[in-house]
């Protein structure tokens, strides 16, 4: 069974088996959860052991300019043997100091955070794991009690730290001292429920959901409505899945999905017709209950140069229609071929279409000449066509309306 990092108590030990220092797997201690001044929904970790033995800096006691701060955040320094999963999971943290704020992945505790001076907005707030000198004693990998740095300057030549007995120390900036790096991880990260032989809970990285589809993500030019079938899979036991479907970054559907099941995204004829010419995207997003999201994006384009449409069903007429007014709204650029036709025998298998384009363009009444029908009932219908014919500019029909008698 797994649990969230935030479910563990303050003081619990954590490890990630591929994150090491000097060839040894690092063990961390939960210093606090949702610590004041740090990012929301995070757990603050501090290394169990005192690492390295380095000077703070050769010329400054300002934390943001120090060599030690640079080294603990350097991919060729402390982070060299950290796993990519662990580094990617670290939350950037705004760290307060008396000399100015910095934003880092790895940082040192302040004198206030280890409980050696009062809380303050400039230096931060005490971690609950530090209650007395014994709680501050730091040991190296040889289990020796050693001195370690804080980030708090005392003067231009010295920096506060913690003595080997856990009491307050004041060390020259050039002294070689140890460090207990800190970082913040998201509260929802999973860990083993049981402790290992080191007394630590092991981080188990959550795997992203998987979205599979036989449809190419580059679908080229589409000329009509279409479907995309896809399967979503969640490899981590006990997780739930929510799927969201997007058209051009607008969510059009959301539902609870079953791992291993196949679903279909459908772009209807109506939805296709509403799309403007150009490039378009369909995005499938699968989210697990821990908030991790996998996405698959399908790209396609539309390049319609001709449109032709009629009413789905002719309008019912009690008698033969002889007159009509038709209004067409849209944008018809110079050079495009535009045509409007009407018929009064729309229920026939072969209606008699009469060209009324000029009357429509001039907004004049249309007089229908046909007087025959083969169907049992008269019916009025309209047929509109538009061919770009190489013309430039917007080319579309937005609405057709009118009346008849």
């Amino acid at each position: 069974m797994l649990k969230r990092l935030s479910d563990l108590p303050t003081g619990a030990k954590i490890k990630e088996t591929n994150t090491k220092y000097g060839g040894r797997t690092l063990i961390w201690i939960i210093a606090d959860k949702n610590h004041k001044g740090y990012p929301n929904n995070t757990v603050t970790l501090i290394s169990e052991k005192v690492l390295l033995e380095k000077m703070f800096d050769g010329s400054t006691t300002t934390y943001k300019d120090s060599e030690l701060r640079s080294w603990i955040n350097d991919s060729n320094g402390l982070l060299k043997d950290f796993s990519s999963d662990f580094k990617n999971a670290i939350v950037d943290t705004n760290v307060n100091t008396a000399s100015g704020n910095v934003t880092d992945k790895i940082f040192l505790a302040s004198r206030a955070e280890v409980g050696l001076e009062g809380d303050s907005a400039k230096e931060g707030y005490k971690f609950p794991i530090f209650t007395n000198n014994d709680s501050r004693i730091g040991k190296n990998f040889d289990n020796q009690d050693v001195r370690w740095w804080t980030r708090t300057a005392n003067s231009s030549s010295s920096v506060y730290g913690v003595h080997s007995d856990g009491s307050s120390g004041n060390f020259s900036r050039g002294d070689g001292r140890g460090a207990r790096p800190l970082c913040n991880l998201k509260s929802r990260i999973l860990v083993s429920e049981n402790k290992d032989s080191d007394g630590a809970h092991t981080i188990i990285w959550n795997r992203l959901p998987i979205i599979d589809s036989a449809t190419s993500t580059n679908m080229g030019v589409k000329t009509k409505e279409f479907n995309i079938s896809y399967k979503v899979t969640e490899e981590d036991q006990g997780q739930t899945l929510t799927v969201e479907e997007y058209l051009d970054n607008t969510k059009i559907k959301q539902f609870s999905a079953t791992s291993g099941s196949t679903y279909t995204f459908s772009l209807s004829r109506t939805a296709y017709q509403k799309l403007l010419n150009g490039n378009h995207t369909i995005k499938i997003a699968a989210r697990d209950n821990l908030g991790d999201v996998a996405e698959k994006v399908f790209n396609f384009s539309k390049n319609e140069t001709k449109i032709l449409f009629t009413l789905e069903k002719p309008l019912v007429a009690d008698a033969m229609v002889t007159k009509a007014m038709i209004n067409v709204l849209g944008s018809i650029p110079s050079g495009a071929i535009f045509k409007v036709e009407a018929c009064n025998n729309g229920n026939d298998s072969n209606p008699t279409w009469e060209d009324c384009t000029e009357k429509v363009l001039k907004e004049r009444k249309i007089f229908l000449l046909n007087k025959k029908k083969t169907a049992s009932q008269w019916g009025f219908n309209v047929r509109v066509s538009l061919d770009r014919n190489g013309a430039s500019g917007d080319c579309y029909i937005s609405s057709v309306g009118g009346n008849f008698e």
Side-chain angles (χ1 to χ4, degrees):
M1 293 291 292
L2 303 178
K3 57 174 59 178
R4 297 187 184 215
L5 185 58
S6 59
D7 293 334
L8 299 179
T10 300
K13 294 181 182 181
I14 307 296
K15 69 161 59 168
E16 199 270 335
T17 53
N18 293 316
T19 292
K20 302 176 184 292
Y21 173 74
R24 302 170 187 256
T25 298
L26 279 182
I27 296 178
W28 306 83
I29 294 174
I30 295 179
D32 201 6
K33 297 182 284 186
N34 287 314
H35 188 66
K36 185 175 181 179
Y38 286 165
N40 293 331
N41 301 313
T42 61
V43 174
T44 304
L45 305 181
I46 185 170
S47 64
E48 178 192 34
K49 298 296 186 182
V50 177
L51 312 181
L52 48 127
E53 186 164 316
K54 282 186 171 291
M55 66 178 180
F56 190 85
D57 191 271
S59 59
T60 183
T61 58
T62 302
Y63 177 69
K64 66 179 182 179
D65 299 321
S66 68
E67 295 175 16
L68 186 55
R69 175 195 167 222
S70 297
W71 192 86
I72 61 177
N73 284 282
D74 192 337
S75 59
N76 291 315
L78 177 65
L79 301 180
K80 180 179 180 181
D81 292 325
F82 280 34
S83 74
S84 57
D85 284 330
F86 193 85
K87 286 187 288 189
N88 291 336
I90 298 173
V91 179
D92 288 343
T93 300
N94 184 57
V95 180
N96 296 330
T97 73
S99 59
N101 296 352
V102 295
T103 299
D104 287 329
K105 287 187 174 295
I106 306 293
F107 52 97
L108 299 184
S110 70
R111 192 164 184 257
E113 287 172 338
V114 299
L116 288 173
E117 68 176 47
D119 292 344
S120 71
K122 286 186 176 181
E123 285 291 312
Y125 304 88
K126 186 174 77 70
F127 292 122
I129 61 169
F130 296 120
T131 57
N132 53 34
N133 286 351
D134 287 344
S135 66
R136 283 185 287 269
I137 293 175
K139 296 179 180 294
N140 61 18
F141 283 110
D142 294 324
N143 211 34
Q144 298 170 328
D145 297 342
V146 293
R147 293 169 287 188
W148 49 285
W149 295 109
T150 71
R151 65 175 185 261
T152 305
N154 176 47
S155 68
S156 61
S157 61
S158 64
V159 178
Y160 286 114
V162 179
H163 271 301
S164 58
D165 62 359
S167 64
S168 178
N170 182 23
F171 310 134
S172 171
R173 66 178 185 234
D175 289 347
R177 299 289 180 259
R180 297 182 68 181
L182 293 94
C183 64
N184 281 302
L185 299 184
K186 283 291 187 183
S187 300
R188 60 181 172 81
I189 286 176
L190 298 177
V191 296
S192 60
E193 182 176 27
N194 297 320
K195 302 174 184 178
D196 65 7
S197 58
D198 292 320
H201 301 267
T202 302
I203 291 177
I204 308 295
W205 298 115
N206 184 44
R207 290 173 290 184
L208 288 176
I210 298 171
I211 305 171
D212 289 315
S213 178
T215 301
S216 171
T217 54
N218 294 307
M219 298 186 291
V221 178
K222 288 294 185 181
T223 58
K224 61 179 181 179
E225 67 274 16
F226 59 88
N227 297 326
I228 298 174
S229 292
Y230 61 92
K231 183 171 74 170
V232 292
T233 305
E234 173 55 66
E235 295 183 308
D236 294 322
Q237 294 183 353
Q239 301 258 20
T240 59
L241 281 174
T242 299
V243 169
E244 298 170 345
E245 297 178 347
Y246 294 81
L247 175 60
D248 290 338
N249 293 319
T250 297
K251 184 164 66 175
I252 59 176
K253 189 177 182 181
Q254 177 177 315
F255 58 92
S256 296
T258 301
S259 179
S261 295
T262 299
Y263 300 94
T264 302
F265 174 93
S266 295
L267 185 70
S268 67
R269 181 174 64 177
T270 300
Y272 175 82
Q273 290 172 344
K274 289 180 178 179
L275 292 176
L276 297 178
N277 279 353
N279 297 322
H280 300 277
T281 59
I282 290 167
K283 181 173 72 175
I284 310 298
R287 183 187 307 273
D288 64 25
N289 55 289
L290 292 178
D292 286 329
V293 182
E295 296 181 348
K296 186 175 284 289
V297 177
F298 301 87
N299 299 281
F300 71 97
S301 62
K302 179 181 178 181
N303 186 29
E304 296 290 350
T305 59
K306 298 179 181 180
I307 55 174
L308 172 66
F309 60 88
T310 66
L311 300 177
E312 188 174 5
K313 293 182 179 180
L315 299 173
V316 175
D318 295 332
M320 181 179 66
V321 176
T322 59
K323 305 172 187 176
M325 284 291 295
I326 300 174
N327 303 307
V328 178
L329 298 179
S331 179
I332 304 169
S334 176
I337 301 172
F338 174 60
K339 188 175 184 180
V340 182
E341 300 168 285
C343 69
N344 57 10
N345 59 349
N347 290 312
D348 288 8
S349 59
N350 188 25
T352 303
W353 293 103
E354 302 182 41
D355 191 339
C356 52
T357 307
E358 289 300 317
K359 296 290 182 70
V360 171
L361 290 173
K362 296 178 179 179
E363 300 182 350
R364 293 180 179 176
K365 186 176 288 188
I366 300 162
F367 295 92
L368 297 174
L369 302 178
N370 177 63
K371 300 183 185 300
K372 297 180 181 181
K373 66 176 176 66
T374 57
S376 60
Q377 189 174 21
W378 294 99
F380 181 76
N381 207 343
V382 177
R383 185 165 69 183
V384 180
S385 64
L386 179 60
D387 184 343
R388 178 180 283 276
N389 193 37
S392 301
D394 292 341
C395 185
Y396 64 87
I397 302 296
S398 57
S399 69
V400 177
N403 56 70
F404 61 86
E405 57 181 271

